[in-house]
Amino acid sequence: MAVRVPADSALLARATLTPCQPTDTLPSASLFPGGHGKTATREHHDALMDDLEHKVFSRFDDDTWVYPGHGDDTTLGAERPSLPEWRERGW
């Protein structure tokens, strides 16, 4: 079954490796290693950062895997320390 996901949204899925070891995975076109997806304006950047911080980083643990639309996989824990830098640089 194929699922279409808009390019500017993220989809959350919970996969279970064993009944005792749930792992969160986040296929994403909004979050990549080293930053977020492309934005056209500073306002779009700020809105995307707000969404990532409030809907993703504040909700999920550091061991949550992110599978971006392209590039390497990462975890929220690897990216979390960079959030202030991403917000400041504006892209």
Side-chain angles (χ1 to χ4, degrees):
M1 175 174 72
V3 177
R4 286 187 57 94
V5 178
D8 62 349
S9 67
L11 171 68
L12 174 70
R14 180 172 299 278
T16 303
L17 300 177
T18 69
C20 299
Q21 296 178 324
T23 302
D24 290 318
T25 61
L26 187 65
S28 178
S30 299
L31 176 60
F32 299 89
H36 60 66
K38 182 178 178 182
T39 56
T41 66
R42 181 62 189 223
E43 291 76 23
H44 292 158
H45 159 78
D46 291 343
L48 181 52
M49 285 299 303
D50 289 345
D51 282 348
L52 286 171
E53 289 174 339
H54 299 292
K55 296 179 180 180
V56 178
F57 284 94
S58 69
R59 185 173 173 192
F60 299 100
D61 295 331
D62 284 350
D63 60 352
T64 301
W65 279 93
V66 178
Y67 298 96
H70 54 82
D72 295 332
D73 302 341
T74 188
T75 64
L76 293 184
E79 304 305 322
R80 190 181 308 275
S82 300
L83 289 174
E85 175 192 337
W86 299 354
R87 186 169 288 279
E88 186 175 320
R89 74 182 181 201
W91 57 270

